[in-house]
Amino acid sequence: QSAVSVPRDFEGCSTLRKYFGQLHYLQSRIPMGAEQEAAVPVAWTEIFSGKTVTHEDIKYEQACVLYNLGALHSMLGAMDKRVSEECAAGAFTYLRDHFPHSYSVDMSHQILSLNINLMLGQAQECLLEKSMLDNRKSFLVARISAQVVDYYKEACRALENSETASLLGKIQKDWKKLVQMKIYYFAAVAHHPVLPEALGTRGSRFLERTQATQGPAPLGASSGSRECRPLLTAAAPLRLSRYNSAKKDNDFIYHEAVPALDTLQSVKGAPLVKALPVNPTDPAVTGPDIFAKLVPMAAHEASSLYSEEKAKLLRDVMAKIEAKNEVLDQFMDSMQLDPESVDNLEMYSHVPPALMEKCAALSVRPDTVKNLEKQVLQNLKRILGKVQEMRDQRASLEQQLREMIQKDDITASLVTADRSEMKKLFEEQLKKYDQIKVYLEQNLAAQENVLKALTDANVKYAAVRKALAEVEHKWNTTVQTLVASYEAYEDLMKKSQEGKDFYTDLEGKAAKLLEKARAACRAAEASRQQLLER
């Protein structure tokens, strides 16, 4: 009900857009198209004939709502300030490109093309006026005006169509005269501003062209365009004055031949206006899908097909990644290069105290060992760092791809999409993975160059590796010898302490035995003395 009797304001445009969007959501779930099971009669009044036209097709309802949206936009545009480059052509363009033209004569291809170019032309006019008020560059003004002419020429072609003429009747002649007048007038406007920039003061050739182009226009069109007469009346003296001034300058100063009209280069138009877009699935415009819980089986099937497309994409990418990773692993194994052990010079920075005497000769040269073929080591470490960086980036991109695929659910889009457009929709949706696929391809392609550089660096590192291996062997042997010496020392000290403890204990026992022996002797001596006294 709201869409049938909308208020003539921007709220009305919003209502029409919402209704149009919800119709789109509905027709993708319920078979309400022509000759389908749930089709119902839809009746609207034709704009020109006033006849009621009925079709059992929900698309006819959408088409009529879209036509009314374009009409309401054009009405609001006529009432609005002439400063915007947006126009009502978007609704008519979407209607022409996405719906049948056989519903009614006011939706024929010619009528819609007429509406589109009239809307674009008038919007370009508004932009032209604003450019002139803002004192934009003359050549830009000329190109904007030339585009106005191009739009009105297309509208005039539609008006000259026999079907359009019979449909519009008398107003076709009036519209045609007005459009032709605008073509002549804006062609003249396009030629006037280019004088200073194109030819300096030598502008007679362009004014000659303007005179020839603009001359007959007011007489041919003004009879049907009374509101334009003041504008044309004011423009005529200006045109004549500029023409006479340029002609006088040429006659008395420059003396240049005026070229033929058909040899002059035409001014190319600059289309700067934009049609208000129509997107029936934009939730910001149509509001939430009130039929969101109704998901047809076909949409589930299409979603499964899309999931298979995503899986195929992931399989293709993973096959490439695994192949490259296998090559990389085999290569690194064959090189026997461990980033952790390539540079083992740090072990030389801490010398055990027992070796300080042996290192005294090197104490004044602390960097002697670190400086052996140092550049080769740095280069190798840098390339090994690149290898690890390549691995990390590859793993990160793979994880991003998996997460994107995991979150990618286009069921809502599949519900409202035409089955004939499924393949195209899949292709468009899969384009979101193009960027990350490019990054992965670049990463995989870089592996060959990195491995080549690593091979070259490893060749140069061979002599250093051999020397370091020998030094490391000697170092380890020496350290092991010192460790063994320390352990032998500890064992000796332990056994010596045990021997000392044994003899200390033995000494104590012997002292006790001696004391007992002395006591026994003293007792025996005392007994002997007693016997002698008796």
Side-chain angles (χ1 to χ4, degrees), residues 15-195:
T15 299
L16 289 174
R17 284 179 177 272
K18 288 180 179 178
Y19 182 49
F20 176 72
Q22 295 302 329
L23 286 173
H24 181 78
Y25 293 139
L26 177 63
Q27 62 90 22
S28 63
R29 295 172 168 89
I30 309 298
M32 299 181 67
E35 299 182 359
Q36 289 186 322
E37 297 91 328
V40 295
V42 177
W44 285 86
T45 302
E46 194 175 78
I47 186 71
F48 296 110
S49 67
K51 298 178 181 178
T52 299
V53 178
T54 303
H55 292 281
E56 292 190 358
D57 188 353
I58 194 174
K59 282 187 172 292
Y60 179 55
E61 178 84 347
Q62 291 177 278
C64 292
V65 170
L66 203 55
Y67 192 100
N68 287 346
L69 176 62
L72 183 53
H73 271 152
S74 66
M75 293 172 63
L76 296 175
M79 296 186 292
D80 198 16
K81 295 180 180 179
R82 298 166 65 89
V83 294
S84 174
E85 71 276 12
E86 296 180 339
C87 68
F92 293 120
T93 302
Y94 193 91
L95 177 57
R96 182 190 64 184
D97 296 342
H98 293 82
F99 290 86
H101 301 146
S102 58
Y103 286 138
S104 60
V105 290
D106 54 359
M107 292 187 190
S108 67
H109 187 276
Q110 291 296 334
I111 291 294
L112 293 177
S113 295
L114 170 63
N115 290 343
I116 291 167
N117 285 288
L118 283 177
M119 301 303 113
L120 291 172
Q122 291 177 93
Q124 188 88 359
E125 269 192 63
C126 297
L127 194 61
L128 173 63
E129 290 181 8
K130 186 175 185 299
S131 300
M132 297 174 75
L133 290 173
D134 293 343
N135 293 318
R136 294 296 180 90
K137 290 185 177 181
S138 299
F139 195 71
L140 176 61
V141 172
R143 293 195 63 191
I144 295 175
S145 186
Q147 187 61 45
V148 176
V149 174
D150 291 343
Y151 285 137
Y152 283 140
K153 282 183 176 179
E154 289 298 321
C156 193
R157 289 191 186 94
L159 281 168
E160 290 171 346
N161 180 267
S162 58
E163 294 182 5
T164 304
S166 62
L167 174 65
L168 297 178
K170 183 179 181 299
I171 64 172
Q172 184 266 352
K173 294 182 179 179
D174 294 335
W175 285 16
K176 183 179 178 182
K177 287 180 180 180
L178 179 59
V179 171
Q180 285 178 332
M181 183 278 296
K182 284 178 173 284
I183 291 172
Y184 284 119
Y185 177 74
F186 286 108
V189 173
H191 297 147
H192 273 290
V194 299
L195 285 172

Side-chain angles (χ1 to χ4, degrees), residues 207-273:
L207 284 169
E208 188 80 16
R209 174 178 184 170
T210 300
Q211 188 81 351
T213 305
Q214 187 187 9
L219 297 177
S222 60
S223 59
S225 313
R226 294 179 181 177
E227 70 278 6
C228 298
R229 286 179 180 176
L231 179 64
L232 296 174
T233 302
L238 174 64
R239 178 201 66 199
L240 187 59
S241 173
R242 295 186 70 176
Y243 170 73
N244 289 334
S245 175
K247 187 175 186 302
K248 182 179 178 181
D249 288 345
N250 190 56
D251 290 343
F252 288 94
I253 301 174
Y254 302 108
H255 307 291
E256 292 189 2
V258 178
L261 181 63
D262 56 4
T263 63
L264 296 178
Q265 184 178 358
S266 61
V267 180
K268 293 184 178 180
L272 301 181
V273 294

